[in-house]
Amino acid sequence: NTVLTAALKLSSEQQESLVEYNYNQQAIEEVLCRFDSRTSQMTPWDSDWAGGTEGSDIRIAKEYNLDIRKINSAKEVATEVFPLERAVTPFSEYKLRLGIAIMIEPALQPKTADAVRKWVNGGGKLKVGGDVLVGLKRWETLGPKTPEVDKLLANMSDELAAAMSQSSKLIGPVDLPSSFT
């Protein structure tokens, strides 16, 4: 609006008010846009996925040379077969990684929920980390577990056992050097 008002003869007080208005308007828009997925290239406007930076989606898609426009569809297929709770952390990350695993498995064709069910029920595995397997095993979600969840865990029993046997723990204040506290 400073371009539009350049032709006007504003007093210095009016110009200062315009600058202040623009500053406040920009701050408001930054807050609103931070959680707005209307212009997202990966999350459709009518999605119930959580808003945010989509940084992990983009990073992981690039890491596996996937078209980022296919990320939402990958998450939707994963959600249909492995219906974890709504898209909040850590479930959103599990769904993303399950979706990526579906997309990068060349023998799993087409990339549909029915094909994934057939793949898993036929003994197929997905390239997911141990944290995802532990999350599926614990099933800390309100929705019912599908047979494919248990079948995938059975197919990946060695990977699940390795993940469950990890002895790592969260870092607490007592684990930090005294100079850090």
Side-chain angles (χ1 to χ4, degrees), residues 6 23 35 41 55 61-62 79-81 89 103 144 146 164 166 168:
Y23 175 80
F35 301 102
Q41 295 298 310
K62 286 181 178 178
T79 299
E80 190 174 332
V81 180
T89 304
M103 297 299 286
T146 61
M164 296 293 284
Q166 293 293 318
S168 61

Side-chain angles (χ1 to χ4, degrees), residues 9-125:
K9 300 214 183 288
L10 299 177
S11 69
S12 60
E13 183 179 299
Q14 289 172 318
Q15 287 175 341
E16 287 176 20
S17 294
L18 179 62
V19 168
E20 182 67 19
Y21 168 82
N22 287 341
Y23 175 80
N24 292 329
Q25 183 65 30
Q26 183 177 7
I28 291 168
E29 288 178 14
E30 286 175 357
V31 169
L32 294 175
C33 291
R34 168 65 175 84
F35 301 102
D36 179 12
S37 64
R38 290 178 301 160
T39 59
S40 169
Q41 295 298 310
M42 293 180 296
T43 307
W45 66 270
D46 60 347
S47 174
D48 66 354
W49 290 93
T53 63
E54 299 174 335
S56 61
D57 295 22
I58 294 169
R59 179 185 53 78
I60 292 172
K62 286 181 178 178
E63 184 177 322
Y64 290 102
N65 292 321
L66 295 174
D67 183 346
I68 62 171
R69 294 172 288 193
K70 296 182 180 176
I71 295 297
N72 191 63
S73 121
K75 290 189 284 189
E76 287 176 358
V77 169
T79 299
E80 190 174 332
V81 180
F82 310 103
L84 291 161
E85 200 169 349
R86 299 194 35 105
V88 294
T89 304
F91 304 115
S92 61
E93 286 300 316
Y94 297 164
K95 289 178 184 186
L96 171 63
R97 290 199 247 145
L98 286 161
I100 295 291
I102 291 165
M103 297 299 286
I104 65 172
E105 179 53 61
L108 203 166
Q109 294 294 336
K111 307 297 184 186
T112 64
D114 287 338
V116 173
R117 287 184 189 99
K118 183 177 179 182
W119 172 261
V120 170
N121 289 320
K125 297 182 177 187

